Amino acid sequence: MDTSSLYDLTPIAWMMGAGVLLALGPLVWVWRRNAGSGPARRLHALTVLTLFLTFDLTLFGAFTRLTDSGLGCPDWPGCYGNASPAGARHEIAMAQAAQPTGPVTHSKAWIEMVHRYLATGVGVLILTLAGATWIVRRRQRRQPAPPVDSAHHHVVLSAWWPAATLVWVCLQGAFGAMTVTWKLFPAIVTMHLMGAIVLLALLCIQAVRYRQVAAQRLPTAVSPALRNGLIATAVLLVLQIALGGWVSTNYAVLACTQFPTCQDSWWPPMNFVQGFEIWRHLGVTGDGQPLDFSALTAIHYVHRLMAYAVFVALGLLAWRLRRLEALRPQARWLLGLALLQLATGLGNVLLGWPLAAAVLHTGGAAALAVVLTWALCESRRESAAAAPIPRAADNARGTPQPKKATA
């Protein structure tokens, strides 16, 4: 039996080739620019660049969704079995002629495929990071440990974070494929968005750890109360981003076009059962009935109410962090991004969901997740009874050295 017609690997091969070509530029640039630096600094530079490109990919993913281009190529990984929309001009033209404003048009097909090309490029960069980190870590294990510095710490490289990032980006690719093949199933699209946020957090963790290894320093010790506040705010933010993704994937933004009220009421009619029925197709209930407008109102209003709590939590956390010199940059970023989210959220409601404000709103949420991850990685819980720092003379008398801190 000839299986060539059943399993055409040409689109996958072209996608992989495009990803390698897109990744070569950043890889060459980082390695040439940091040729004289140590391995930790080179890995840090490449991780920061990958984090930046992944953030851009998240913004472009939001642009793809908000322009209704998610089904611009209704198959995966190619476009009507081709490596690019150029090879599917006939099929796209027929679909566009049947539905001029439908999900498949030439422009939407290119937007969708560019998103896939960029995602493949980011995947290649993350694969390179994982491989390079494992190589560097193996070399470090063969070398004797360097002398302990004046801070009495020896921070070593860990290859587990890049390995986890590599596994996660593969899962994220699977969610991207399901987004298309499941025809924008709201739960899958929301999980794809959350997967992007987790990927950004994992890359941020790597970037901070590489920098700590290069500088041979540990995170700043903070009080247990502040550390708990960081974690609680991060949990609130993750929940709010999930709610925002649910609003966007159900197209519930315009269910309320007033602020602070909604539909001339402080508590408009809302159907929470329909609105938060997770496993259903777009626009219908699990039974296949059309979704009530009150369900869209419930989705929108819950996100708005949670936004108040998150805004207050971010403000309080930024006020607490500014007291610590090492965490003041994070405090300023949190405050600025919280104000950006407030402005773009109001713009979406009052201006009829303009594209720029909607993309910026998604970008602000992703940036908040990165900054909170940064703050968590640059801080550690202060012990109840902190041991005094030993004097340099103590080392000469044979004071036991502490264990290595793995970053």
Side-chain angles (χ1 to χ4, degrees):
M1 178 180 177
D2 183 14
T3 59
S4 60
S5 60
L6 297 178
Y7 303 102
D8 185 5
L9 300 180
T10 303
I12 297 178
W14 276 102
M15 290 283 291
M16 294 176 63
V20 170
L21 289 176
L22 286 172
L24 276 177
L27 285 171
V28 172
W29 183 79
V30 167
W31 245 249
R32 287 176 62 88
R33 185 177 177 85
N34 298 272
S37 304
R41 292 193 181 277
R42 288 199 299 271
L43 288 171
H44 171 259
L46 182 56
T47 307
V48 170
L49 181 59
T50 305
L51 174 62
F52 174 75
L53 294 176
T54 305
F55 182 81
D56 292 342
L57 176 63
T58 303
L59 288 180
F60 198 84
F63 176 79
T64 302
R65 183 179 71 255
L66 292 165
T67 55
D68 295 324
S69 303
L71 295 179
C73 288
D75 54 337
W76 191 92
C79 189
Y80 288 100
N82 294 276
S84 78
R89 291 189 298 270
H90 177 67
E91 292 86 349
I92 296 172
M94 290 181 62
Q96 187 170 349
Q99 290 183 287
T101 59
V104 179
T105 65
H106 289 285
S107 60
K108 291 179 180 180
W110 275 109
I111 291 172
E112 169 65 8
M113 288 305 297
V114 168
H115 178 61
R116 295 183 195 179
Y117 297 147
L118 294 176
T120 308
V122 166
V124 172
L125 289 174
I126 291 173
L127 176 62
T128 304
L129 271 172
T133 305
W134 276 104
I135 293 172
V136 171
R137 184 70 185 106
R138 285 176 63 87
R139 290 176 180 173
Q140 285 185 345
R141 287 177 175 174
R142 296 172 184 171
Q143 298 173 354
V148 179
D149 61 11
S150 59
H152 220 58
H153 297 298
H154 174 42
V155 186
V156 298
L157 202 64
S158 171
W160 290 109
W161 283 114
T165 307
L166 178 60
V167 171
W168 190 262
V169 79
C170 293
L171 291 174
Q172 180 68 350
F175 276 123
M178 292 172 66
T179 296
V180 176
T181 57
W182 287 41
K183 308 302 180 185
L184 303 182
F185 199 84
I188 298 298
V189 178
T190 302
M191 284 191 283
H192 191 47
L193 170 64
M194 298 308 297
I197 300 300
V198 173
L199 183 59
L200 288 170
L202 287 170
L203 287 169
C204 180
I205 292 170
Q206 284 180 240
V208 175
R209 296 306 188 205
Y210 289 140
R211 187 175 182 181
Q212 290 169 350
V213 170
Q216 283 296 295
R217 62 174 177 81
L218 291 177
T220 302
V222 299
S223 67
L226 180 54
R227 183 70 179 173
N228 291 338
L230 273 166
I231 295 172
T233 305
V235 171
L236 281 176
L237 179 67
V238 169
L239 178 58
Q240 176 67 349
I241 293 175
L243 288 171
W246 194 240
V247 171
S248 179
T249 55
N250 283 280
Y251 298 91
V253 175
L254 299 181
C256 296
T257 56
Q258 298 171 318
F259 184 85
T261 59
C262 175
Q263 301 170 16
D264 295 319
S265 173
W266 289 100
W267 194 259
M270 290 179 280
N271 189 330
F272 294 98
V273 175
Q274 281 192 9
F276 292 94
E277 183 181 7
I278 303 301
W279 210 248
R280 56 173 176 77
H281 288 280
L282 180 63
V284 297
T285 65
D287 297 331
Q289 300 299 317
L291 208 64
D292 290 341
F293 186 74
S294 59
L296 300 179
T297 305
I299 295 171
H300 179 113
Y301 211 63
V302 169
H303 178 61
R304 182 185 294 192
L305 293 176
M306 179 61 75
Y308 300 144
V310 173
F311 186 79
V312 171
L314 289 171
L316 291 174
L317 181 63
W319 180 72
R320 292 285 304 278
L321 290 178
R322 63 183 287 275
R323 297 180 177 181
L324 300 173
E325 183 176 357
L327 297 176
R328 282 177 188 166
Q330 291 91 326
R332 289 192 288 266
W333 273 105
L334 287 176
L335 184 59
L337 288 170
L339 293 173
L340 173 67
Q341 286 302 90
L342 176 62
T344 54
L346 288 175
N348 286 332
V349 172
L350 301 178
L351 301 179
W353 207 14
L355 180 60
V359 172
L360 277 176
H361 199 59
T362 300
L368 279 170
V370 170
V371 174
L372 271 176
T373 305
W374 178 22
L376 283 166
C377 292
E378 286 286 16
S379 63
R380 58 187 172 90
R381 191 182 300 272
E382 189 178 40
S383 59
I389 298 177
R391 295 173 299 174
D394 292 337
N395 292 334
R397 291 195 291 268
T399 301
Q401 295 182 356
K403 296 181 179 180
K404 296 178 181 179
T406 303

